[in-house]
Amino acid sequence: MSAQETKTTSQTLNSTEKRMMSGADIVIQTLVNNDVSVIFAYPGGQSMPLHQAMTHFRNKLRVILPRHEQGGGFAAQGYARATGKVGVCMTTSGPGATNIITSIADAKLDSVPIVILTGQVGTHVIGSDGFQETPITEVCRSITKHHYLITDIKDVVRIINEAIYVAATGRPGPVLVDIPKNVQVAQCIPDFDVSMDLPGYCGESREVANDDLDYVVEAIVRSKRPLFFVGGGVISANATDVLKRIVNQTGIPITTSMTGLSAFPRQDSKSLGMIGMHGDPCSNFAVSECDLMIACGVRFSDRVTGKVSEFAKKARLIQFDVDPSEINKVKTANFAIIADLNVALTALEKKLKNVQLNDYSIWHEKINHWKKNYPLRYSEDPTWITAQQTISELSKQTQNRKTIITTGVGQHQLWTAQLYQFQNPRTWLSSCGLGTMGFGLPAAMGAKIAVPDADVIDIDGDGSLQMNIQEMATCYTEKIPVKVVLMNNQHLGNVMQWEDQFFGHNRANTYLGSIDDPETLGNGDGYSPNNRYPDYAMIAKAYGWEALSITKKSELSDAIKTMLDCEKPFLLDVAVPYRQYVLPIIPPGGTISDMIRN
């Protein structure tokens, strides 16, 4: 079949007439049929037919060429996290497929719906150590929600449909589809109406039994010090609106995990902020004193619980989750409801409408006491800029703008979690479970494509940014005007902090700057704005970005405004001190009594 015939075939598939198609065309047509409009794809020998097929769908499918497969995977995540839709990415076999593994593992831990398509050597070559062969389905078996190796062209439509459905339903997660090259070039007459075949899998919302809800209501009625603990599952389930109504209806205070930060407005008086190792002291005190914890869509990560036996020790625990494997996995629940959180919380809201609750005024007085006496705080310098000041000023200037924040991983991520005043869901995109450096820039890229009318800002560190700095080229060539606020302290800040707090200040490969700057090596006061290496503003400009470097506190406000007003990709390089710690901190495995404060 000629290229023109193939093109004509793909353009007429929406008619009732059945035609012969290549496996590659069937893959792309099925994606389009599932309303996929963007794909992040890097080509290679075993995926070339798929890329050729995508040229036949230019009016329906935007193809973004990342500069590294990991960048493509994180961009797909940014797209998915910002919208709740399935993000799609593609690589070739072998090294292309292994390059995207980190973004798959990241999506698994943070429950992000993405579909990963990988080219594979022909089925007759599989198992022979062929050129660029990797058994990627086996490699990724434990870090995907589901995975497929397609060996028959007749299965293509069904499997692509299933992959998108499985990724998006239930507890969201990554689904891998490995497609051998001979399947891509084979031809058949596809059946786009074929049924899915998922025995044992139920992606539909489950109804919640009245008796179960009665138990929850009774527990709330009997409680004097209740607390909502909310995670990213509430955002994934699009249940933030009903959650807000319940909190406002009952007056029950709320704390969140890191992934749940944007589930509830931070400035609301009932919000206690983030819980855990670097959480708000008020949140951690409330956890230690509450008599009822209603946990919704949380994993009880070790960064949240510390010493598990002491976590919420005085509380009856009620756990809501769509995933039954999360029940009793870390913390034993007194009662659990396994259901879609939107369905469950909507049913709970109805049950609570005519219920007389306790007066929580004494509980709120105690909480307000903690807020007043144990606030999050940081020191300011009269001349130099701190990362905390930068984040606070950025938060202030963007409160009345439609803004999505992404981050890398490190101190800048934790300060952002503490200080940025999130108000709406899907505006905080960060690698929380896996803690992947290099996440911020490509995730911002995907989010900006998904929500073009929002300011998408990557708050990053100089260590994290360099992990995927090549995606600056993608942003320039694809005209994706993201912003980067770079906390440039010349160090791997979070590891450096642990060196100081737990390893006797011994430096072990955490310095990123020039060895000609001895103060930055560890004996000064931490302020060294001059002679920073490398010159990130120069790098950004080489990639076609606008850029600005600042060192003084007096420059900060105007610099952020300049960045926000720019319609092109923009990097703001902020020289910040390295001897600044993310506080408070509860040491690993510790309890609130071990908290180190400012």
Side-chain angles (χ1 to χ4, degrees):
M1 182 180 288
S2 69
Q4 181 60 41
E5 287 172 325
T6 303
K7 184 174 182 179
T8 302
T9 297
S10 64
Q11 289 176 339
T12 59
L13 281 173
N14 289 327
S15 69
T16 57
E17 186 178 1
K18 302 290 186 179
R19 294 179 180 270
M20 291 288 289
M21 293 182 66
S22 71
D25 273 332
I26 296 170
V27 169
I28 306 306
Q29 180 68 64
T30 308
L31 291 176
V32 170
N33 291 349
N34 280 277
D35 297 323
V36 174
S37 58
V38 178
I39 185 171
F40 303 90
Y42 201 97
Q46 306 305 329
S47 63
M48 284 183 66
L50 290 165
H51 280 262
Q52 290 296 306
M54 287 189 290
T55 66
H56 308 154
F57 294 82
R58 286 191 174 119
N59 62 331
K60 295 181 179 179
L61 183 67
R62 182 179 181 183
V63 183
I64 303 295
L65 172 65
R67 295 314 190 259
H68 190 282
E69 291 89 350
Q70 186 183 108
F74 286 143
Q77 274 206 53
Y79 184 95
R81 290 179 188 236
T83 62
K85 299 177 181 178
V86 175
V88 181
C89 51
M90 182 190 297
T91 78
T92 189
S93 65
T98 57
N99 276 347
I100 207 168
I101 286 175
T102 300
S103 52
I104 297 173
D106 192 282
K108 180 65 161 57
L109 273 178
D110 280 357
S111 302
V112 182
I114 62 172
V115 169
I116 310 95
L117 307 178
T118 53
Q120 183 56 277
V121 299
T123 53
H124 62 289
V125 181
I126 290 176
S128 68
D129 294 334
F131 178 65
Q132 293 195 329
E133 178 190 0
T134 298
I136 196 65
T137 53
E138 296 302 313
V139 172
C140 294
R141 182 176 294 276
S142 62
I143 58 170
T144 54
K145 182 178 178 182
H146 197 39
H147 53 269
Y148 296 90
L149 170 62
I150 302 179
T151 58
D152 188 335
I153 187 175
K154 295 178 181 178
D155 293 330
V156 168
V157 174
R158 175 183 61 80
I159 287 175
I160 298 298
N161 285 340
E162 289 177 6
I164 293 171
Y165 177 75
V166 170
T169 55
R171 180 178 181 172
V175 178
L176 172 72
V177 183
D178 200 26
I179 313 172
K181 192 170 184 179
N182 61 309
V183 174
Q184 298 173 42
V185 300
Q187 300 216 352
C188 76
I189 298 176
D191 177 7
F192 289 106
D193 297 319
V194 65
S195 299
M196 293 188 291
D197 182 19
L198 293 166
Y201 181 78
C202 179
E204 304 303 320
S205 300
R206 304 178 185 179
E207 294 297 323
V208 183
N210 270 324
D211 290 348
D212 290 346
L213 291 172
D214 289 340
Y215 180 94
V216 177
V217 170
E218 181 186 0
I220 292 173
V221 168
R222 294 168 65 180
S223 171
K224 295 181 179 179
R225 301 185 305 279
L227 181 68
F228 273 108
F229 172 31
V230 172
V234 170
I235 298 170
S236 296
N238 297 316
T240 55
D241 286 344
V242 65
L243 173 71
K244 291 174 192 175
R245 293 196 298 268
I246 291 174
V247 170
N248 290 329
Q249 175 185 344
T250 62
I252 297 174
I254 177 172
T255 183
T256 75
S257 67
M258 183 179 281
T259 54
L261 273 174
S262 64
F264 192 81
R266 182 64 182 90
Q267 294 176 341
D268 191 290
S269 62
K270 292 173 286 297
S271 171
L272 309 188
M274 184 176 69
I275 196 176
M277 177 179 283
H278 292 290
D280 194 304
C282 178
S283 282
N284 287 318
F285 285 129
V287 168
S288 68
E289 293 296 323
C290 68
D291 63 5
L292 174 66
M293 174 177 280
I294 306 168
C296 303
V298 299
R299 293 189 299 115
F300 292 103
S301 160
D302 60 300
R303 288 297 178 98
V304 162
T305 62
K307 189 175 181 179
V308 176
S309 62
E310 296 297 313
F311 180 81
K313 191 174 182 178
K314 301 176 181 178
R316 179 187 298 185
L317 173 61
I318 295 176
Q319 189 172 356
F320 286 80
D321 209 290
V322 72
D323 184 358
S325 71
E326 285 298 332
I327 307 302
N328 300 326
K329 186 177 80 175
V330 175
K331 187 74 178 175
T332 301
N334 296 97
F335 192 75
I337 291 182
I338 301 169
D340 176 275
L341 288 174
N342 201 336
V343 173
L345 292 178
T346 299
L348 177 62
E349 178 190 22
K350 292 178 182 177
K351 281 280 185 180
L352 288 168
K353 281 186 176 177
N354 299 314
V355 174
Q356 182 67 42
L357 301 178
N358 282 324
D359 180 2
Y360 300 138
S361 58
I362 296 177
W363 180 223
H364 282 286
E365 285 176 13
K366 182 172 284 192
I367 287 170
N368 290 333
H369 169 79
W370 290 326
K371 284 185 175 182
K372 180 180 178 181
N373 290 280
Y374 302 95
L376 287 171
R377 61 190 179 199
Y378 56 89
S379 59
E380 295 191 25
D381 186 275
T383 302
W384 308 122
I385 312 167
T386 65
Q388 300 98 311
Q389 287 173 313
T390 305
I391 294 164
S392 295
E393 179 63 25
L394 179 66
S395 179
K396 177 182 175 182
Q397 291 199 29
T398 55
Q399 282 305 300
N400 295 321
R401 303 171 68 113
K402 186 176 182 179
T403 306
I404 296 173
I405 298 294
T406 73
T407 72
V409 169
Q411 288 181 310
H412 63 278
Q413 173 196 34
L414 299 170
W415 280 318
T416 303
Q418 289 181 336
L419 299 171
Y420 194 92
Q421 303 296 298
F422 295 99
Q423 303 300 321
N424 298 298
R426 302 193 182 281
T427 57
W428 158 250
L429 316 182
S430 192
S431 172
C432 300
L434 198 63
T436 310
M437 295 174 67
F439 175 89
L441 175 57
M445 187 169 73
K448 183 64 177 177
I449 291 171
V451 192
D453 61 334
D455 293 316
V456 181
I457 305 168
D458 169 32
I459 300 176
D460 224 323
D462 49 329
S464 276
L465 180 65
Q466 291 186 87
M467 292 277 185
N468 274 313
I469 198 169
Q470 74 284 339
E471 299 309 328
M472 284 186 167
T474 309
C475 292
Y476 175 75
T477 58
E478 294 286 346
K479 296 181 173 56
I480 309 169
V482 303
K483 319 294 185 188
V484 173
V485 178
L486 179 64
M487 306 302 173
N488 185 354
N489 66 0
Q490 303 282 280
H491 284 74
L492 298 175
N494 210 36
V495 186
M496 177 275 302
Q497 175 175 335
W498 281 45
E499 285 176 338
D500 285 359
Q501 292 181 321
F502 307 122
F503 292 90
H505 300 267
N506 186 43
R507 292 284 174 264
N509 310 310
T510 51
Y511 175 57
L512 300 174
S514 168
I515 59 173
D516 297 328
D517 190 355
E519 184 202 21
T520 310
L521 280 171
N523 296 317
D525 60 8
Y527 292 92
S528 181
N530 299 316
N531 303 318
R532 297 248 162 170
Y533 169 85
D535 187 332
Y536 290 98
M538 185 179 292
I539 292 172
K541 289 176 181 178
Y543 275 116
W545 286 41
E546 299 295 315
L548 180 64
S549 294
I550 59 174
T551 62
K552 295 181 180 178
K553 183 177 178 180
S554 58
E555 301 171 310
L556 179 61
S557 179
D558 287 344
I560 290 176
K561 185 178 187 303
T562 298
M563 176 192 72
L564 293 174
D565 290 343
C566 183
E567 296 182 356
K568 298 179 180 179
F570 194 106
L571 179 135
L572 177 59
D573 177 19
V574 186
V576 299
Y578 74 92
R579 279 195 169 175
Q580 293 276 299
Y581 301 147
V582 183
L583 296 173
I585 179 173
I586 298 175
T591 68
I592 194 169
S593 62
D594 304 311
M595 182 189 296
I596 302 170
R597 297 185 64 243
N598 302 65

